Amino acid sequence: MTQHVRDIMTTHPTTVEPQTSVAVVARKMRDENIGAVLVAEGERLRGLVSDRDLVVRAVAEGGDPHRTTVADACSEDLVVVGPDDDVDRAVEVMREHAVRRVPVVDEGHHAVGIVSIGDLAIERDPGSALGDISAARPNE
């Protein structure tokens, strides 16, 4: 039975405007226990920013986290998948572009979710180390 991205993706992704400060986004990630946030201008998906992006592209460059915007830290060369794409397509996209997370967009190009390498590990090989780690609840 073919499985679709919609079956394993994280729904209702957290989205911020490009002018949101890195500090605000970092707090959102902490408070919501997430590692990536979508960046959108109105309905237009502009990028994705991960916790690593915040560190490497903003903090490590000496930027003030309260003044540096997420637009300066996000990945803008997005690759996306659709909710009705096969899970194999999501794996292919991640491999081809060496990314760990891919936004899921509907036919109108509105973000409806994110699929991560952890989501795929839980689904494909739940007994693997990555599957175990991805399924575990984080320590508070």
Side-chain angles (χ1 to χ4, degrees), residues 2 6 42 44 55 62 70-72 83 92 94 98 103 106 108 115 124 135-136:
T2 303
R6 77 170 59 257
R44 182 178 160 259
V55 172
V70 73
D72 298 323
E92 180 183 310
M94 287 180 179
D106 63 16
V115 64
R124 292 286 175 97

Side-chain angles (χ1 to χ4, degrees), residues 46-57:
R46 179 170 169 179
L48 180 145
V49 66
S50 69
D51 44 8
R52 184 176 191 283
D53 292 333
L54 295 181
V55 172
V56 172
R57 295 183 181 156

Side-chain angles (χ1 to χ4, degrees), residues 94-108:
M94 287 180 179
R95 279 186 179 144
E96 183 179 324
H97 296 278
V99 294
R100 294 177 176 94
R101 297 173 181 97
V102 177
V104 181
V105 298
D106 63 16
E107 290 179 12

